Amino acid sequence: MEAFQDLPQIDNIDFIHGNIATLDDTIVLNESEYINFWGVPVLGITKIIPGTSIMLYIEVAQSEIYATSRNALILLGGFSLISWLFSMIGFIRLVRDLFFKPLTNLQQGQLEIEKGNLGYQVSVLRNDELGQATSGFNLMSNQLAERNK
């Protein structure tokens, strides 16, 4: 009995003896969350061992059970945040290359013409509407240079 001196005393020990004495050969599973005798929140499982009249009580601390879920949630959240960050960087670069770079080139051409460089040509980067506007700008620049001559 010395091994059990550290265990707290149970007021109603008849509860356990009553369960063991009335068991038959069926397997009963009971699973619930509760606070054990030491005040630790646990997940407890009760199972009858087949072929015996022994009831097995197993307790695992909830902090141990949920630690894996918490770690998985932290990893998933971190991965999602990093993925979102890389997606936004890619999206910003895409928008910059598709829209702002051609517009910046046109703006540079406008500044060159204002300085008096009437024959300045802007490089055409695309064949869409912005490319057509750039080609039109180059055509106007050539016409201004010819008129000025």
Side-chain angles (χ1 to χ4, degrees):
M1 279 297 207
E2 291 180 25
F4 297 109
Q5 287 178 350
D6 294 338
L7 294 176
Q9 293 296 319
I10 301 172
D11 293 333
N12 191 358
I13 196 76
D14 294 333
F15 169 75
I16 296 175
H17 289 299
N19 281 335
I20 293 174
T22 59
L23 296 178
D24 56 7
D25 289 337
T26 60
I27 297 173
V28 177
L29 263 169
N30 183 14
E31 179 180 316
S32 61
E33 293 182 4
Y34 56 92
I35 297 177
N36 68 6
F37 298 119
W38 293 280
V40 177
V42 296
L43 174 65
I45 299 172
T46 307
K47 183 176 182 179
I48 299 171
I49 299 174
T52 68
S53 61
I54 298 174
M55 183 178 283
L56 181 64
Y57 293 92
I58 301 171
E59 291 181 345
V60 180
Q62 290 179 14
S63 61
E64 185 179 338
I65 293 170
Y66 299 129
T68 303
S69 298
R70 184 179 56 247
N71 292 343
L73 185 62
I74 290 169
L75 287 173
L76 181 63
F79 178 74
S80 297
L81 183 64
I82 290 170
S83 297
W84 178 82
L85 183 65
F86 280 119
S87 297
M88 287 297 103
I89 289 171
F91 178 74
I92 289 169
R93 291 190 71 180
L94 179 70
V95 168
R96 184 189 67 204
D97 290 346
L98 287 178
F99 298 109
F100 293 118
K101 192 173 183 179
L103 291 175
T104 303
N105 287 343
L106 279 172
Q107 190 176 31
Q108 180 64 33
Q110 172 204 350
L111 293 174
E112 288 294 324
I113 296 220
E114 285 177 3
K115 289 179 187 175
N117 186 4
L118 299 179
Y120 184 81
Q121 296 291 302
V122 177
S123 58
V124 179
L125 301 175
R126 301 171 14 183
N127 288 331
D128 58 359
E129 290 83 5
L130 283 173
Q132 291 173 357
T134 304
S135 296
F137 180 87
N138 289 337
L139 181 63
M140 287 190 307
S141 174
N142 284 338
Q143 289 174 351
L144 283 172
E146 286 180 20
R147 283 187 189 169
N148 197 26
K149 287 181 185 177

